[in-house]
C-alpha cells in the first residue's frame, strides 16, 4: 500500500554538523573562494597584460630600430654615391646615381614622426642635419655642372655627414637600451606575479576544499528539503495519505501500465455520508479525528501496491492494480465499506459512519484518467442516491439519470478547474436612477455544452451537496471583484445568493469573515441573499448564523419575498436589512391589480420595519415609475441591464460615473 507519509532523514547532529549547516560558514566559504578566484584571475590578467605589453614594446622597438637602420643605410648610400660622383668628376651616370639617393630617407623620417618612435628633439636634429646634408649635395651637383670648383663644398659635406650618421646610430643605441630597461622591469613584475600566485594557490585550494565541504553539506540539506517539499506536495497534511496530485500521477501511471500490459485495474471513489453531521455536532477537531481514523482503516484494509489517497474534504480514492474482474473490484469495495462502517469513538461518543463507493474498471469503463474518474464519480452518486453502499459504473443505470449523474461529476471537476464564472446584474436607486449595487449570478462555462445558466446545475448541486463548493467559489470571485472595483473608485455593494444548508453551518460566519479579510473588503459591501424557504428548517440555528453575520457588518437580504409560507414570523426573528420582491409580482403588476397590491404591501411592510426594498424583474419604464411612486428603494431587471461579465459591468459603471447621467433604459 502506498500513499502514507514517509520518514524524514535525520538532521545533522553534533557541533561539526551544526557548524557545516551554519549560514555564516557557508557565506564565509563562498566569499573566500570568490576572493581567491578573483585574486588568481587578477594575477592571470595582470601577467597576461604584462606579456602583451612586453610583446608590443618589443615589436615597436624592433620596428623603430629597423627604420633607424634603414635611415643609416640610406644616408650611407647617399654619401657613397657622392664620393663616387666627386671621384669621377660628375659623369652623367654618377650624377643619376647620386640624384636617386637624394631624400631617400625622408619617408622613414616621416614614419618616425607619425609613430612618435623617437624623442622629438632627437628627430628634429636628424631631420635638420639630413636637410643640410641634402642641400650641400644639391649645391655640389649644381656647381659641378657649371664647371666651378666644389672643393669647399665637398669638405663641408664630409663635416655634415659624420654628425648625421652618429645621431642616427645613437638613436638606434637609445632604442635598444630603452627596450632592455623595459624588459628588465617586465622581469621584475613577472617575479612579483609569480610570487603572489605561489602564495595564493595554496590558500585558494584550501578555500576550495572548505567551500566544497560546506556545499556538500548544503546539498544534502537541499536534497532533504526537496524530498520534504515533494512529500508535502503529494501528501495530505492531515491524514498522511497521498493527495489529489499523487492520485492523478498514480492513476495516469496505472493507465499507461494497462495500455502496455493489457491488464485491467479498478478505481474506487469513496465519499463519507454523514461527515458534515459530525463536524456540525462535535466540531472540526472531531471531524479531523474521523478523517484520520478513516485514512488508517483504508490503509490497513488495502493491499501493498494499492494507492490510497484523500482527494479533499470527506472524499477518498483507491487505485487497485491488477483487478481482473468487476466482481473482484466490487468485493474490494464492500470490504472497504464494511471496515468503514464499524463504530468510531469520537470525543467519548461512539459514532456510526457510512460511505458511498463508486467503482469504475479499466478499460471497460474508460481508457483515460478523466473518463475513469468521471464514471467512478457517477457510480458514487448513484450509490449515494440509492443508498446501496457500493455501485459499479453502468451507462444504463437508473435510465436517464446517468446523464444527470455524469453532469454532477463534471460539475465537481468544473469547480476545481475554475470553469464557474460570475456575471453581475446591476441595481439602481429609483430616486436618483444611479447604480447602487449588483447581484452576483453564477454561470458554468462547460467545455462542451457552452455557457450554462444556474437553473441547469444549481438544483443538482444542492441535491448532491456540491452547492458548498459552488457557493465558496462564487463568494471568492465576488469578493475579489469588489476589491478590484474599490481600487477603481467604485464602492459597489454586491449580493451573493446563499443556500439553505449554509444557514445550518455554525462555521459559515467564520468562513465569510475570513474571506472578507483575505480580500480586504469591508463587510458593508457584501450582501448575502437567502430565500424564505431556506429559513423554514432550523430557524434557531439560521437566526444565530445570520445574527453573527450582521454583527460583523455583513448585510442580509431576503430574496423572492412573498413566495414563502412564514414570511412575517421569519422577519420577526431574522435580522435582514432588505427585502427583495419576487419578479413574478413585479412583472405582472401593471396588468394585474392583485400583484400591484402585493407589491405595495411588501413596500409598506419594509418601510414600517425600516428595511430597504428591492424589486427584481423590472422590464419596462412603466414598472420603474410605478415602483418609484410606491416608494421602492432599488430596482434590477433587463430594463436596466442584463447580467454582465465583470469587465463589461466595469465599463457600464465607468460610463455613468463619468457622464453623471441617470439610467433611463437598458
Amino acid at each position: 500500500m502506498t500513499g502514507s507519509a514517509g520518514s524524514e532523514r535525520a538532521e545533522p547532529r553534533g557541533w561539526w554538523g551544526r557548524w557545516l549547516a551554519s549560514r555564516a560558514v557557508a557565506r564565509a566559504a563562498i566569499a573566500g573562494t570568490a576572493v581567491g578566484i578573483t585574486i588568481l584571475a587578477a594575477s592571470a590578467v595582470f601577467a597576461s597584460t604584462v606579456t602583451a605589453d612586453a610583446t608590443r614594446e618589443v615589436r615597436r622597438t624592433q620596428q623603430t630600430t629597423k627604420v633607424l637602420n634603414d635611415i643609416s643605410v640610406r644616408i650611407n648610400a647617399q654619401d657613397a654615391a657622392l664620393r663616387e660622383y666627386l671621384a669621377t668628376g660628375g659623369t652623367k651616370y654618377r650624377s643619376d646615381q647620386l640624384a636617386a639617393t637624394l631624400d631617400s630617407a625622408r619617408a622613414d623620417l616621416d614614419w618616425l614622426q607619425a609613430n612618435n618612435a623617437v624623442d622629438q628633439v632627437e628627430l628634429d636634429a636628424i631631420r635638420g642635419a639630413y636637410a643640410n646634408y641634402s642641400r650641400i649635395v644639391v649645391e655640389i651637383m649644381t656647381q659641378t655642372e657649371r664647371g666651378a670648383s666644389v672643393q669647399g663644398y665637398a669638405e663641408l659635406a664630409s663635416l655634415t655627414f659624420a654628425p648625421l650618421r652618429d645621431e642616427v646610430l645613437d638613436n638606434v643605441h637609445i632604442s635598444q637600451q630603452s627596450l632592455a630597461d623595459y624588459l628588465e622591469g617586465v622581469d621584475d613584475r613577472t617575479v612579483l606575479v609569480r610570487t603572489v600566485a605561489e602564495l595564493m594557490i595554496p590558500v585558494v585550494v584550501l578555500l576550495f576544499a572548505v567551500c566544497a565541504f560546506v556545499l556538500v553539506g548544503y546539498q544534502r540539506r537541499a536534497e532533504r528539503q526537496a524530498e520534504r517539499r515533494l512529500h508535502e506536495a503529494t501528501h495530505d497534511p492531515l491524514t498522511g495519505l497521498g493527495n489529489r496530485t499523487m492520485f492523478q500521477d498514480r492513476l495516469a501511471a496505472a493507465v499507461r501500465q494497462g495500455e502496455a500490459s493489457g491488464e485491467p485495474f479498478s478505481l474506487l471513489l469513496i465519499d463519507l455520508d454523514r461527515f458534515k453531521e459530525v463536524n456540525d455536532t462535535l466540531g472540526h477537531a472531531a471531524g479531523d479525528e474521523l478523517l484520520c481514523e478513516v485514512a488508517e482503516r483504508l490503509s490497513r484494509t488495502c493491499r501493498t501496491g494499492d494507492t490510497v489517497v484523500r482527494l479533499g474534504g470527506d472524499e477518498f480514492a483507491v487505485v487497485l492494480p491488477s483487478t481482473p474482474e468487476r466482481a473482484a473490484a466490487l468485493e474490494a469495495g464492500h470490504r472497504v465499506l464494511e471496515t468503514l462502517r464499524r463504530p468510531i469513538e469520537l470525543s467519548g461518543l461512539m459514532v456510526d459512519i457510512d460511505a458511498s463507493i463508486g467503482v469504475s474498471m479499466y478499460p471497460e469503463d474508460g481508457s483515460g484518467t478523466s473518463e475513469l474518474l468521471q464514471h467512478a464519480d457517477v457510480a458514487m452518486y448513484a450509490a449515494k442516491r440509492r443508498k446501496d453502499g457500493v455501485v459499479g459504473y453502468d451507462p444504463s443505470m437508473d435510465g436517464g439519470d446517468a446523464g444527470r449523474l455524469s453532469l454532477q461529476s463534471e460539475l465537481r471537476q468544473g469547480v476545481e478547474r475554475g470553469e464557474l464564472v460570475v456575471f453581475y446584474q446591476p441595481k439602481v436607486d429609483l430616486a436618483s436612477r444611479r447604480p447602487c449595487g449588483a447581484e452576483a449570478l453564477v454561470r458554468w462555462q462547460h467545455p462542451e455544452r457552452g455557457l450554462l445558466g444556474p437553473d441547469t446545475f444549481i438544483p443538482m448541486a444542492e441535491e448532491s451537496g456540491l452547492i458548498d463548493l459552488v457557493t465558496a467559489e462564487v463568494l471568492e470571485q465576488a469578493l475579489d471583484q469588489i476589491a478590484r472595483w474599490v481600487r477603481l473608485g467604485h464602492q459597489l455593494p454586491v449580493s451573493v445568493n446563499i443556500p439553505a444548508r449554509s444557514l445550518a453551518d455554525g462555521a459559515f460566519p467564520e468562513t465569510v469573515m475570513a474571506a472578507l479579510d483575505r480580500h480586504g473588503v469591508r463587510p458593508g459591501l457584501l450582501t448575502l441573499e437567502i430565500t424564505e424557504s431556506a429559513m423554514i428548517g432550523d430557524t434557531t440555528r439560521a437566526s444565530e448564523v445570520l445574527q453573527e453575520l450582521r454583527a460583523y457588518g455583513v448585510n442580509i437580504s431576503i430574496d423572492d419575498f412573498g413566495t414563502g409560507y412564514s414570511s412575517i414570523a421569519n422577519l420577526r426573528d431574522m435580522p435582514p436589512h432588505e427585502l427583495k420582491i419576487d419578479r413574478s409580482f413585479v412583472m405582472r403588476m401593471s396588468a394585474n391589480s392583485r400583484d400591484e397590491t402585493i407589491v405595495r404591501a411588501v413596500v409598506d411592510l419594509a418601510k414600517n420595519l425600516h428595511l430597504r426594498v428591492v424589486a427584481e424583474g423590472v422590464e419596462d419604464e412603466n414598472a420603474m415609475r410605478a415602483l418609484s411612486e410606491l416608494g421602492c428603494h432599488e430596482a434590477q431587471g433587463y430594463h436596466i441591464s442584463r447580467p454582465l461579465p465583470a469587465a463589461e459591468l466595469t465599463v457600464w459603471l465607468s460610463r455613468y460615473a463619468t457622464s453623471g447621467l441617470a439610467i433611463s433604459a437598458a
Side-chain angles (χ1 to χ4, degrees), residues 113 183 261 305 320 426 494 577 658:
Q113 178 78 36
L183 291 178
S261 65
L320 302 172
V494 174
H577 91 291
T658 56

Side-chain angles (χ1 to χ4, degrees), residues 558 561 566-574 576 579 605 609 611:
I558 298 181
F561 188 79
S566 56
S567 304
I568 303 300
N570 286 331
L571 286 177
R572 180 189 60 197
D573 300 324
M574 300 298 172
L579 303 180
L605 176 64
L609 293 176
L611 304 177

